[in-house]
Amino acid sequence: MNISKTILVTRHLPAMKAFYINQIGFPLVSETNESFTMQIGTDQLTYQQTDDVDTQYHMAFNIPENVFQQGKAWLVERTPLLIEDGQDEIYFDFTDSHSCYFYDPDENVLELIARHQINPSKANRRLIYRTSSESVR
């Protein structure tokens, strides 16, 4: 399944826009007082303001396996990586992949992932959405 447009909610719209557009550098596609949309590869991601519920998402950015270290270095220039057991990246045997993680202002867990057996070309990089989207009250 290809998901090319997604809408998520946030209680911190200005901080989220500053992070994704100014800090990370995703191109801004459109904005209103209640939302903004950014381009991520071939996909568009929209954040809409909400006051009703806190949410937490996990999103993974699939990158070619041969540029994982460069992608991680690029990311470190923009935001701190999460550290576990003194390491800022992890290898997963079961998926033959390397990942590194970071937070956005809502503390959504964001991931750069490079799958070694599935190496998408630069033209086919896509934002991979995980199924873990939980509302926190």
Side-chain angles (χ1 to χ4, degrees):
M1 171 182 7
N2 290 331
I3 300 172
S4 60
K5 293 184 180 180
T6 302
I7 299 172
L8 303 177
V9 296
T10 179
R11 294 184 73 174
H12 310 103
L13 191 68
M16 294 292 274
K17 180 183 169 212
F19 177 79
Y20 283 103
I21 306 303
N22 302 333
Q23 191 171 332
I24 298 299
F26 291 134
L28 181 66
V29 173
S30 63
E31 67 179 311
T32 68
N33 289 337
E34 298 295 318
S35 70
F36 73 94
T37 299
M38 63 191 131
Q39 191 75 37
I40 305 174
T42 59
D43 302 328
Q44 289 186 357
L45 178 61
T46 299
Y47 271 102
Q48 289 182 339
Q49 177 68 39
T50 186
D51 295 323
D52 295 334
V53 64
D54 281 331
T55 58
Q56 187 172 29
Y57 302 105
H58 175 182
M59 292 181 284
F61 302 90
N62 198 29
I63 64 172
E65 62 109 17
N66 62 328
V67 296
F68 177 73
Q69 291 302 323
Q70 294 97 315
K72 187 174 104 172
W74 174 88
L75 187 60
V76 166
E77 293 176 359
R78 289 157 178 78
T79 192
L81 298 181
L82 300 180
I83 307 293
E84 184 170 326
D85 297 328
Q87 302 295 314
D88 64 3
E89 69 181 60
I90 187 167
Y91 175 75
F92 294 104
D93 288 330
F94 63 94
T95 58
D96 189 24
S97 62
H98 278 89
S99 292
C100 62
Y101 297 89
F102 57 106
Y103 285 134
D104 68 14
D106 276 355
E107 293 191 350
N108 294 314
V109 177
L110 306 173
E111 173 184 6
L112 280 186
I113 183 167
R115 294 175 176 92
H116 301 291
Q117 299 300 316
I118 304 169
N119 186 9
S121 71
K122 288 185 179 184
N124 291 328
R125 281 184 292 188
R126 300 191 60 80
L127 176 62
I128 306 300
Y129 295 94
R130 300 289 181 160
T131 57
S132 62
S133 170
E134 304 172 47
S135 294
V136 179
R137 294 195 184 260

